[in-house]
Amino acid sequence: MITNKKSTAIQAYRARILHFIDNPLSNTDSPYEYFEDGVLVIQDGHVLHVGDFHTLSECLPEFNRFKTTDDHIIDESNNQITSRNQEITLEEYPNHLIIPGFIDSHIHYPQTQMIGAYGDQLLEWLNNYTFPTEQHFDDEDYASDVSSIFLNELLRNGTTTALVFGTVHKASVNAFFSEAQKRGLRMIAGKVMMDRNAPEALCDTPETSYQESKELIERWHNVDRLQYAVTPRFAPTSSPEQLHKAAQLLDKYPSVYLHTHLSENQDEIAWVNTLFPESSHYLGVYDDARLVRKRSIFAHGVHLCDNECARLAQTGAAIAHCPTSNLFLGSGLFDLKQANKHNVTVGLGTDIGAGTSFSMFKTMDEAYKIQQLRKEKLDPFTALYLSTLGGARALDIEDKVGNFAIDSEADFVVLDLAATPLLKFRTEFCQSLSELLFALNTLGDDRLVAKTFAMGQCVHDRDGDNL
Ligand code: GUN
Ligand code: ZN
């Protein structure tokens, strides 16, 4: 029930509403809440209430007495809200579904310009496309332009939070955080640490990477909605000394993240084995450097052994599963069943620019197909959980975003179920919520996203001006 705690404006959004309370694979009786005719009520950028529209009207009779002027509804009765001179705005979205903003648990903003680079698998792809592209990001103006395009693209796709790679340049991270801050977004990012096996222009040293990361942490970590991730690119491009420096940063700043790649491609794994012969496996390289912890997020984990999975689960570290990237680079088919068996925390990532779409719908679609090729199933509830609350859990921010729990930050998307003629035709035919979600997962893309909100502010309007 609404209790009026504050004296600022209230916004209410009426539509179908779906959000997750828990993992569908847990034993929770109802892991999600779904309101066929729901209302999401926001105040001061936070969730005040979510529920059934008519139940809310009964709890709060004043809600029915609001009078519409244009698209505003103003309470004319003499109730508590008007006595505080408040205005309530009600936006109604028939045939739309409101869900929490998507969470992309692994993405590279500097690779926006090189999505869809032809013909290579991971190591050649890095040398031929990625490293040349990333060399431009010592220029902060250039990095700001790309950050802006990247963030707008995320918002057009309904993604409100992401864990983001910069490049080795400090300027790349300053530019990215400045653009994210302007838009009021919750973002986690960091400067790449890379001191070997890469072009000279992209290499730092253990000392400079420590110092520059430290300066960035002190400037940006926990400023507004921004958080910092210590970001060694992957084991082959960091010396053991640099990995130890990364651990020192985590010791000094325990609430920052560790973000890197793990066990993506067979040639990469063989290379890691020759570079770190003392370590028992790929995860062991990071573990030996004390980098496997809660708030450590490892992209891919396509070829993990049971011991690696057990260790990830034991430490509370997470895997970011990136299906479009794994297919595009021919890296392999992620074993979700194995991860679940070991209780490894998993989020979904696009991994742009090896990933081929900013859309979490496209990402869920490919995740489903990967499990099909493994003769396994990924049901649409679990897929949507992984893209919202599951991602928030992987990033340890579930107290802030990922669902519509009271007081959480009001990041959400309004999905247009009739966005295309085919979607309209297909969704009208759906007999159950499960069928509807699966149709959206399979057919959906950026066109589904009518509006995106961050902290209750509209940050993307498909049919309006570019905000
Ligand atoms: N491994 C190391 N760097 C990268 C990268 O930029 N993209 C992907 N997909 N894998 C990596
Ligand atoms: Zn990546």
Side-chain angles (χ1 to χ4, degrees), residues 106-108 111 125 165 259 261 264 299-300 322 325 351-352 354:
H106 176 69
I107 187 165
H108 301 248
Q111 297 175 15
W125 174 86
F165 257 68
H259 184 197
H261 296 91
E264 177 178 1
H300 306 300
C322 305
S325 164
D351 193 27
I352 295 298

Side-chain angles (χ1 to χ4, degrees), residues 340-401:
N340 288 336
K341 188 180 85 187
H342 287 277
N343 273 324
V344 178
T345 303
V346 176
L348 273 186
T350 58
D351 193 27
I352 295 298
T356 48
S357 173
F358 277 81
S359 170
M360 292 304 283
F361 289 110
K362 289 275 152 234
T363 305
M364 291 187 276
D365 183 31
E366 301 295 279
Y368 174 80
K369 293 173 190 168
I370 285 180
Q371 295 314 310
Q372 280 282 54
L373 287 168
R374 297 193 67 90
K375 308 275 182 273
E376 296 295 335
K377 286 191 170 60
L378 174 61
D379 72 87
F381 289 99
T382 303
L384 190 59
Y385 163 80
L386 291 174
S387 306
T388 54
L389 183 62
R393 286 182 172 173
L395 302 184
D396 197 25
I397 45 175
E398 65 171 302
D399 58 330
K400 299 189 172 59
V401 291

